[in-house]
Amino acid sequence: MTATTMHPGPRRSSALRHGWVVMLRDLRHWVREPWAPIFGIAFSIMLLLVFGYLFGGAIELPGGGDYLPYLLPGMFALSMMFGVESTMSAVAADTRRGITDRFRSLPMSSVAVPAGRAGADMVNSTVQLAVLVLGGLLVGWRVDGSPGAALLAIGLLLWLRFAMLWIGIFLGLTFRGEGSFAAVQVLVWPLGFLSNLFVAPETMPGWLAFLAQWNPVSATAAACRELFGNPTGITDGVLADHALLLALAWPAVLVGVFVPLAARAYRRLAR
C-alpha cells in the first residue's frame, strides 16, 4: 500500500481559498450593516477636528512648522491602531455566537478563518484611510513629498494596520467575555497617547520621551511625516535617524508573534 503525501503547495492553496471565502463573507456582512465602519471613520474625523482646531494653536513643534501637517500623519497612524478594538470585538462576537465553531467543524486550515477576517479588515482599513486622507486634504493638509514617497507612507500605515489586526484577532479568540473589550480600550488609548502622534517626544520628560520614541505607532507616524514631507517635530533621537527602518521592523515583529498565536488560539477553542 502506498501512502499519499500531502505537499505544502496544495495545503497553502486550500488555506488561501478558504481564507478568501471567509473574507467575502465578512465583506458582505459589512455591506448589509455598514454602520460600524462608518462610525469608525466619523470618530477619527472628529478627533482630527478636535486636535487640529481646538488644541492646534497652542502647540509648538521643535524645529518649527505648523501643527496641522504634523498632526495628520499621526491621526492616520492612530486610526490604523484602532484595528485592535474593532477586530477583537468582531472575532469575539463570532466566537460567542458559535459562528467560529461552525467554521472549525469544516475541513479548513487553522489560519484560513483568521486570515479571512484580516483580509476583510484590510479592505475596510484601506477605504477608511482613503477617506481620512481626503478629509485631511479638504482641511488644508498637503503632501510635500514625492508621489512615490507618499505611496510608501500609505503602505507603511496599512502595514501597521495589518499587524494590529492580528493582535485583535488573537485577543478576540482568547478573551471572549463582555468586559474584555473595555479592558482593551483602556490599554489602546494610553498606547496611542504615549507616542508622538499628538506632540513631539522632545517636549516630554526624559523617561516618557524614551517610551514614546520606542512605541511602534510612533515609528510609523514619524516615517510617514518624513515621506509626506511634513514637519516631524524631531531634531534628534532614534526616530530622527531610523524612523523608516523601525516602521518596517515593528509591524514585522508583531506579525511574526501574533499570527502563530492566533492560529494556536483558534485550534484550542474547543479545549
Side-chain angles (χ1 to χ4, degrees):
M1 181 179 295
T2 303
T4 301
T5 303
M6 179 66 72
H7 295 286
R11 285 201 298 267
R12 285 195 294 267
S13 176
S14 297
L16 291 174
R17 187 168 61 253
H18 297 157
W20 176 259
V21 172
V22 175
M23 184 184 79
L24 293 179
R25 172 255 178 190
D26 290 333
L27 290 176
R28 284 193 294 268
H29 177 74
W30 279 329
V31 170
R32 291 192 300 268
E33 299 181 12
W35 297 113
I38 289 174
F39 282 133
I41 293 172
F43 181 67
S44 297
I45 292 176
M46 181 193 69
L47 285 180
L48 165 63
L49 296 175
V50 167
F51 281 93
Y53 291 103
L54 186 59
F55 303 130
I59 298 178
E60 296 182 2
L61 300 176
D66 295 332
Y67 182 64
L68 188 64
Y70 174 88
L71 173 67
L72 262 295
M75 292 302 305
F76 299 156
L78 182 66
S79 68
M80 297 297 98
M81 192 182 70
F82 285 161
V84 173
E85 300 176 59
S86 58
T87 303
M88 175 187 174
S89 177
V91 171
D94 280 352
T95 304
R96 287 195 302 269
R97 293 198 299 261
I99 296 174
T100 304
D101 287 336
R102 297 177 195 171
F103 283 125
R104 293 183 71 256
S105 67
L106 301 173
M108 299 175 64
S109 166
S110 60
V111 180
V113 174
R117 162 57 63 176
D121 280 354
M122 285 302 295
V123 174
N124 174 45
S125 303
T126 302
V127 174
Q128 178 182 359
L129 183 58
V131 172
L132 288 176
V133 169
L134 178 60
L137 293 172
L138 291 176
V139 299
W141 173 67
R142 293 294 179 264
V143 176
D144 295 323
S146 67
L151 288 176
L152 179 56
I154 296 296
L156 289 177
L157 289 166
L158 293 175
W159 179 224
L160 174 68
R161 178 72 164 204
F162 185 72
M164 292 293 132
L165 291 178
W166 282 102
I167 298 176
I169 290 170
F170 167 71
L171 294 175
L173 292 171
T174 305
F175 305 103
R176 300 183 293 275
E178 294 290 345
S180 58
F181 179 69
V184 170
Q185 283 186 311
V186 171
L187 295 175
V188 166
W189 279 98
L191 182 65
F193 281 96
L194 185 57
S195 66
N196 67 350
L197 301 187
F198 301 105
V199 295
E202 294 181 29
T203 64
M204 305 175 185
W207 64 272
L208 198 59
F210 175 82
L211 295 177
Q213 292 232 28
W214 286 100
N215 187 328
V217 185
S218 293
T220 298
C224 288
R225 289 182 181 116
E226 291 182 5
L227 294 169
F228 284 135
N230 298 148
T232 63
I234 303 172
T235 59
D236 59 15
V238 64
L239 289 181
D241 300 327
H242 307 292
L244 180 58
L245 177 61
L246 290 173
L248 291 169
W250 267 120
V253 171
L254 295 175
V255 168
V257 171
F258 283 98
V259 168
L261 287 177
R264 181 173 180 268
Y266 179 81
R267 290 193 300 266
R268 292 171 60 91
L269 280 177
R271 298 183 183 179

PDB file of all heavy atoms in Angstrom, residues 25-26 29 32-33 89-103 117 176 178:
ATOM      1  N   ARG A  25     -17.322  36.623   2.987  1.00  0.00           N
ATOM      2  CA  ARG A  25     -18.453  36.565   3.926  1.00  0.00           C
ATOM      3  C   ARG A  25     -18.460  37.789   4.828  1.00  0.00           C
ATOM      4  O   ARG A  25     -19.512  38.405   5.053  1.00  0.00           O
ATOM      5  CB  ARG A  25     -18.339  35.277   4.742  1.00  0.00           C
ATOM      6  CG  ARG A  25     -19.326  35.167   5.899  1.00  0.00           C
ATOM      7  CD  ARG A  25     -18.637  35.401   7.226  1.00  0.00           C
ATOM      8  NE  ARG A  25     -19.553  35.342   8.355  1.00  0.00           N
ATOM      9  CZ  ARG A  25     -19.241  35.704   9.591  1.00  0.00           C
ATOM     10  NH1 ARG A  25     -18.013  36.154   9.857  1.00  0.00           N
ATOM     11  NH2 ARG A  25     -20.119  35.626  10.568  1.00  0.00           N
ATOM     12  N   ASP A  26     -17.291  38.188   5.344  1.00  0.00           N
ATOM     13  CA  ASP A  26     -17.226  39.349   6.224  1.00  0.00           C
ATOM     14  C   ASP A  26     -17.532  40.636   5.470  1.00  0.00           C
ATOM     15  O   ASP A  26     -18.188  41.548   6.010  1.00  0.00           O
ATOM     16  CB  ASP A  26     -15.842  39.428   6.871  1.00  0.00           C
ATOM     17  CG  ASP A  26     -15.611  38.327   7.891  1.00  0.00           C
ATOM     18  OD1 ASP A  26     -16.604  37.850   8.465  1.00  0.00           O
ATOM     19  OD2 ASP A  26     -14.453  37.930   8.099  1.00  0.00           O
ATOM     20  N   HIS A  29     -21.192  41.025   5.030  1.00  0.00           N
ATOM     21  CA  HIS A  29     -21.806  41.434   6.295  1.00  0.00           C
ATOM     22  C   HIS A  29     -21.704  42.944   6.470  1.00  0.00           C
ATOM     23  O   HIS A  29     -22.668  43.595   6.913  1.00  0.00           O
ATOM     24  CB  HIS A  29     -21.114  40.718   7.455  1.00  0.00           C
ATOM     25  CG  HIS A  29     -21.618  41.126   8.803  1.00  0.00           C
ATOM     26  ND1 HIS A  29     -22.838  40.738   9.303  1.00  0.00           N
ATOM     27  CD2 HIS A  29     -21.059  41.924   9.759  1.00  0.00           C
ATOM     28  CE1 HIS A  29     -23.023  41.264  10.506  1.00  0.00           C
ATOM     29  NE2 HIS A  29     -21.965  41.982  10.804  1.00  0.00           N
ATOM     30  N   ARG A  32     -24.216  44.804   4.294  1.00  0.00           N
ATOM     31  CA  ARG A  32     -25.569  44.789   4.850  1.00  0.00           C
ATOM     32  C   ARG A  32     -25.683  45.678   6.088  1.00  0.00           C
ATOM     33  O   ARG A  32     -26.736  46.275   6.333  1.00  0.00           O
ATOM     34  CB  ARG A  32     -25.975  43.353   5.197  1.00  0.00           C
ATOM     35  CG  ARG A  32     -26.184  42.457   3.987  1.00  0.00           C
ATOM     36  CD  ARG A  32     -26.869  41.164   4.390  1.00  0.00           C
ATOM     37  NE  ARG A  32     -26.073  40.413   5.359  1.00  0.00           N
ATOM     38  CZ  ARG A  32     -25.194  39.474   5.042  1.00  0.00           C
ATOM     39  NH1 ARG A  32     -24.990  39.173   3.758  1.00  0.00           N
ATOM     40  NH2 ARG A  32     -24.523  38.821   5.963  1.00  0.00           N
ATOM     41  N   GLU A  33     -24.619  45.749   6.883  1.00  0.00           N
ATOM     42  CA  GLU A  33     -24.635  46.549   8.113  1.00  0.00           C
ATOM     43  C   GLU A  33     -23.385  47.435   8.143  1.00  0.00           C
ATOM     44  O   GLU A  33     -22.386  47.112   8.805  1.00  0.00           O
ATOM     45  CB  GLU A  33     -24.680  45.641   9.341  1.00  0.00           C
ATOM     46  CG  GLU A  33     -25.928  44.759   9.394  1.00  0.00           C
ATOM     47  CD  GLU A  33     -25.953  43.886  10.637  1.00  0.00           C
ATOM     48  OE1 GLU A  33     -25.135  44.137  11.559  1.00  0.00           O
ATOM     49  OE2 GLU A  33     -26.764  42.965  10.697  1.00  0.00           O
ATOM     50  N   SER A  89     -13.479  42.845  18.785  1.00  0.00           N
ATOM     51  CA  SER A  89     -14.910  42.798  19.053  1.00  0.00           C
ATOM     52  C   SER A  89     -15.628  41.873  18.068  1.00  0.00           C
ATOM     53  O   SER A  89     -16.468  41.064  18.470  1.00  0.00           O
ATOM     54  CB  SER A  89     -15.488  44.213  18.960  1.00  0.00           C
ATOM     55  OG  SER A  89     -16.888  44.199  19.139  1.00  0.00           O
ATOM     56  N   ALA A  90     -15.271  41.975  16.777  1.00  0.00           N
ATOM     57  CA  ALA A  90     -15.942  41.146  15.766  1.00  0.00           C
ATOM     58  C   ALA A  90     -15.596  39.676  15.935  1.00  0.00           C
ATOM     59  O   ALA A  90     -16.466  38.806  15.845  1.00  0.00           O
ATOM     60  CB  ALA A  90     -15.547  41.633  14.376  1.00  0.00           C
ATOM     61  N   VAL A  91     -14.322  39.369  16.191  1.00  0.00           N
ATOM     62  CA  VAL A  91     -13.902  37.972  16.356  1.00  0.00           C
ATOM     63  C   VAL A  91     -14.535  37.373  17.605  1.00  0.00           C
ATOM     64  O   VAL A  91     -15.018  36.228  17.594  1.00  0.00           O
ATOM     65  CB  VAL A  91     -12.368  37.887  16.430  1.00  0.00           C
ATOM     66  CG1 VAL A  91     -11.913  36.484  16.810  1.00  0.00           C
ATOM     67  CG2 VAL A  91     -11.759  38.279  15.080  1.00  0.00           C
ATOM     68  N   ALA A  92     -14.552  38.135  18.700  1.00  0.00           N
ATOM     69  CA  ALA A  92     -15.150  37.634  19.936  1.00  0.00           C
ATOM     70  C   ALA A  92     -16.660  37.400  19.756  1.00  0.00           C
ATOM     71  O   ALA A  92     -17.210  36.412  20.266  1.00  0.00           O
ATOM     72  CB  ALA A  92     -14.903  38.617  21.075  1.00  0.00           C
ATOM     73  N   ALA A  93     -17.328  38.290  19.014  1.00  0.00           N
ATOM     74  CA  ALA A  93     -18.769  38.116  18.783  1.00  0.00           C
ATOM     75  C   ALA A  93     -19.038  36.859  17.961  1.00  0.00           C
ATOM     76  O   ALA A  93     -19.966  36.098  18.266  1.00  0.00           O
ATOM     77  CB  ALA A  93     -19.327  39.349  18.077  1.00  0.00           C
ATOM     78  N   ASP A  94     -18.240  36.623  16.926  1.00  0.00           N
ATOM     79  CA  ASP A  94     -18.412  35.400  16.129  1.00  0.00           C
ATOM     80  C   ASP A  94     -18.190  34.154  16.977  1.00  0.00           C
ATOM     81  O   ASP A  94     -18.885  33.141  16.814  1.00  0.00           O
ATOM     82  CB  ASP A  94     -17.430  35.395  14.951  1.00  0.00           C
ATOM     83  CG  ASP A  94     -17.914  36.265  13.798  1.00  0.00           C
ATOM     84  OD1 ASP A  94     -19.059  36.739  13.849  1.00  0.00           O
ATOM     85  OD2 ASP A  94     -17.125  36.472  12.854  1.00  0.00           O
ATOM     86  N   THR A  95     -17.239  34.228  17.880  1.00  0.00           N
ATOM     87  CA  THR A  95     -16.944  33.074  18.734  1.00  0.00           C
ATOM     88  C   THR A  95     -18.075  32.809  19.712  1.00  0.00           C
ATOM     89  O   THR A  95     -18.492  31.663  19.914  1.00  0.00           O
ATOM     90  CB  THR A  95     -15.632  33.311  19.504  1.00  0.00           C
ATOM     91  OG1 THR A  95     -14.582  33.581  18.559  1.00  0.00           O
ATOM     92  CG2 THR A  95     -15.254  32.083  20.321  1.00  0.00           C
ATOM     93  N   ARG A  96     -18.628  33.873  20.307  1.00  0.00           N
ATOM     94  CA  ARG A  96     -19.720  33.701  21.257  1.00  0.00           C
ATOM     95  C   ARG A  96     -20.979  33.169  20.587  1.00  0.00           C
ATOM     96  O   ARG A  96     -21.720  32.378  21.175  1.00  0.00           O
ATOM     97  CB  ARG A  96     -20.027  35.033  21.963  1.00  0.00           C
ATOM     98  CG  ARG A  96     -19.002  35.469  22.979  1.00  0.00           C
ATOM     99  CD  ARG A  96     -19.556  36.580  23.865  1.00  0.00           C
ATOM    100  NE  ARG A  96     -19.967  37.730  23.060  1.00  0.00           N
ATOM    101  CZ  ARG A  96     -19.169  38.751  22.768  1.00  0.00           C
ATOM    102  NH1 ARG A  96     -17.916  38.753  23.190  1.00  0.00           N
ATOM    103  NH2 ARG A  96     -19.605  39.766  22.045  1.00  0.00           N
ATOM    104  N   ARG A  97     -21.230  33.587  19.363  1.00  0.00           N
ATOM    105  CA  ARG A  97     -22.444  33.164  18.652  1.00  0.00           C
ATOM    106  C   ARG A  97     -22.305  31.782  18.021  1.00  0.00           C
ATOM    107  O   ARG A  97     -23.272  31.266  17.455  1.00  0.00           O
ATOM    108  CB  ARG A  97     -22.797  34.178  17.563  1.00  0.00           C
ATOM    109  CG  ARG A  97     -23.226  35.536  18.092  1.00  0.00           C
ATOM    110  CD  ARG A  97     -23.965  36.318  17.012  1.00  0.00           C
ATOM    111  NE  ARG A  97     -23.115  36.555  15.854  1.00  0.00           N
ATOM    112  CZ  ARG A  97     -22.460  37.683  15.615  1.00  0.00           C
ATOM    113  NH1 ARG A  97     -22.544  38.683  16.486  1.00  0.00           N
ATOM    114  NH2 ARG A  97     -21.725  37.830  14.532  1.00  0.00           N
ATOM    115  N   GLY A  98     -21.144  31.188  18.123  1.00  0.00           N
ATOM    116  CA  GLY A  98     -20.945  29.857  17.568  1.00  0.00           C
ATOM    117  C   GLY A  98     -20.572  29.818  16.102  1.00  0.00           C
ATOM    118  O   GLY A  98     -20.429  28.731  15.522  1.00  0.00           O
ATOM    119  N   ILE A  99     -20.405  30.986  15.468  1.00  0.00           N
ATOM    120  CA  ILE A  99     -20.054  31.016  14.053  1.00  0.00           C
ATOM    121  C   ILE A  99     -18.668  30.430  13.831  1.00  0.00           C
ATOM    122  O   ILE A  99     -18.429  29.672  12.882  1.00  0.00           O
ATOM    123  CB  ILE A  99     -20.135  32.457  13.515  1.00  0.00           C
ATOM    124  CG1 ILE A  99     -21.582  32.947  13.601  1.00  0.00           C
ATOM    125  CG2 ILE A  99     -19.615  32.541  12.089  1.00  0.00           C
ATOM    126  CD1 ILE A  99     -21.758  34.395  13.240  1.00  0.00           C
ATOM    127  N   THR A 100     -17.741  30.751  14.721  1.00  0.00           N
ATOM    128  CA  THR A 100     -16.385  30.218  14.593  1.00  0.00           C
ATOM    129  C   THR A 100     -16.379  28.706  14.750  1.00  0.00           C
ATOM    130  O   THR A 100     -15.623  27.998  14.061  1.00  0.00           O
ATOM    131  CB  THR A 100     -15.461  30.872  15.633  1.00  0.00           C
ATOM    132  OG1 THR A 100     -15.512  32.303  15.478  1.00  0.00           O
ATOM    133  CG2 THR A 100     -14.025  30.419  15.449  1.00  0.00           C
ATOM    134  N   ASP A 101     -17.220  28.190  15.643  1.00  0.00           N
ATOM    135  CA  ASP A 101     -17.297  26.729  15.807  1.00  0.00           C
ATOM    136  C   ASP A 101     -17.792  26.053  14.531  1.00  0.00           C
ATOM    137  O   ASP A 101     -17.372  24.934  14.203  1.00  0.00           O
ATOM    138  CB  ASP A 101     -18.222  26.387  16.978  1.00  0.00           C
ATOM    139  CG  ASP A 101     -17.586  26.686  18.322  1.00  0.00           C
ATOM    140  OD1 ASP A 101     -16.341  26.704  18.384  1.00  0.00           O
ATOM    141  OD2 ASP A 101     -18.333  26.915  19.290  1.00  0.00           O
ATOM    142  N   ARG A 102     -18.696  26.711  13.813  1.00  0.00           N
ATOM    143  CA  ARG A 102     -19.157  26.132  12.544  1.00  0.00           C
ATOM    144  C   ARG A 102     -18.015  26.050  11.543  1.00  0.00           C
ATOM    145  O   ARG A 102     -17.881  25.064  10.815  1.00  0.00           O
ATOM    146  CB  ARG A 102     -20.288  26.987  11.968  1.00  0.00           C
ATOM    147  CG  ARG A 102     -21.537  27.040  12.841  1.00  0.00           C
ATOM    148  CD  ARG A 102     -22.568  27.970  12.236  1.00  0.00           C
ATOM    149  NE  ARG A 102     -23.606  28.303  13.207  1.00  0.00           N
ATOM    150  CZ  ARG A 102     -24.534  29.227  13.011  1.00  0.00           C
ATOM    151  NH1 ARG A 102     -24.556  29.900  11.863  1.00  0.00           N
ATOM    152  NH2 ARG A 102     -25.437  29.478  13.936  1.00  0.00           N
ATOM    153  N   PHE A 103     -17.197  27.084  11.500  1.00  0.00           N
ATOM    154  CA  PHE A 103     -16.033  27.039  10.612  1.00  0.00           C
ATOM    155  C   PHE A 103     -15.069  25.935  11.034  1.00  0.00           C
ATOM    156  O   PHE A 103     -14.501  25.233  10.196  1.00  0.00           O
ATOM    157  CB  PHE A 103     -15.311  28.387  10.611  1.00  0.00           C
ATOM    158  CG  PHE A 103     -15.978  29.450   9.796  1.00  0.00           C
ATOM    159  CD1 PHE A 103     -16.311  30.668  10.358  1.00  0.00           C
ATOM    160  CD2 PHE A 103     -16.279  29.235   8.457  1.00  0.00           C
ATOM    161  CE1 PHE A 103     -16.933  31.656   9.609  1.00  0.00           C
ATOM    162  CE2 PHE A 103     -16.898  30.223   7.697  1.00  0.00           C
ATOM    163  CZ  PHE A 103     -17.223  31.436   8.277  1.00  0.00           C
ATOM    164  N   ARG A 117     -10.656  37.047   8.081  1.00  0.00           N
ATOM    165  CA  ARG A 117     -11.045  38.220   8.859  1.00  0.00           C
ATOM    166  C   ARG A 117     -10.048  39.356   8.643  1.00  0.00           C
ATOM    167  O   ARG A 117     -10.435  40.517   8.433  1.00  0.00           O
ATOM    168  CB  ARG A 117     -11.128  37.846  10.335  1.00  0.00           C
ATOM    169  CG  ARG A 117     -11.091  39.006  11.310  1.00  0.00           C
ATOM    170  CD  ARG A 117     -12.169  40.030  11.097  1.00  0.00           C
ATOM    171  NE  ARG A 117     -13.508  39.494  11.285  1.00  0.00           N
ATOM    172  CZ  ARG A 117     -14.613  40.235  11.227  1.00  0.00           C
ATOM    173  NH1 ARG A 117     -14.533  41.528  10.973  1.00  0.00           N
ATOM    174  NH2 ARG A 117     -15.796  39.683  11.396  1.00  0.00           N
ATOM    175  N   ARG A 176     -12.994  36.337  25.395  1.00  0.00           N
ATOM    176  CA  ARG A 176     -14.275  36.468  24.710  1.00  0.00           C
ATOM    177  C   ARG A 176     -15.374  37.048  25.598  1.00  0.00           C
ATOM    178  O   ARG A 176     -16.518  37.157  25.173  1.00  0.00           O
ATOM    179  CB  ARG A 176     -14.713  35.094  24.184  1.00  0.00           C
ATOM    180  CG  ARG A 176     -13.705  34.508  23.211  1.00  0.00           C
ATOM    181  CD  ARG A 176     -14.182  33.194  22.646  1.00  0.00           C
ATOM    182  NE  ARG A 176     -14.247  32.131  23.648  1.00  0.00           N
ATOM    183  CZ  ARG A 176     -13.219  31.375  23.990  1.00  0.00           C
ATOM    184  NH1 ARG A 176     -12.029  31.582  23.435  1.00  0.00           N
ATOM    185  NH2 ARG A 176     -13.342  30.418  24.894  1.00  0.00           N
ATOM    186  N   GLU A 178     -17.606  39.809  27.821  1.00  0.00           N
ATOM    187  CA  GLU A 178     -18.105  41.137  27.501  1.00  0.00           C
ATOM    188  C   GLU A 178     -17.177  42.237  28.023  1.00  0.00           C
ATOM    189  O   GLU A 178     -17.052  43.287  27.414  1.00  0.00           O
ATOM    190  CB  GLU A 178     -19.516  41.327  28.095  1.00  0.00           C
ATOM    191  CG  GLU A 178     -20.574  40.416  27.469  1.00  0.00           C
ATOM    192  CD  GLU A 178     -20.906  40.805  26.052  1.00  0.00           C
ATOM    193  OE1 GLU A 178     -20.551  41.923  25.641  1.00  0.00           O
ATOM    194  OE2 GLU A 178     -21.534  39.998  25.343  1.00  0.00           O
TER     195      GLU A 178
END
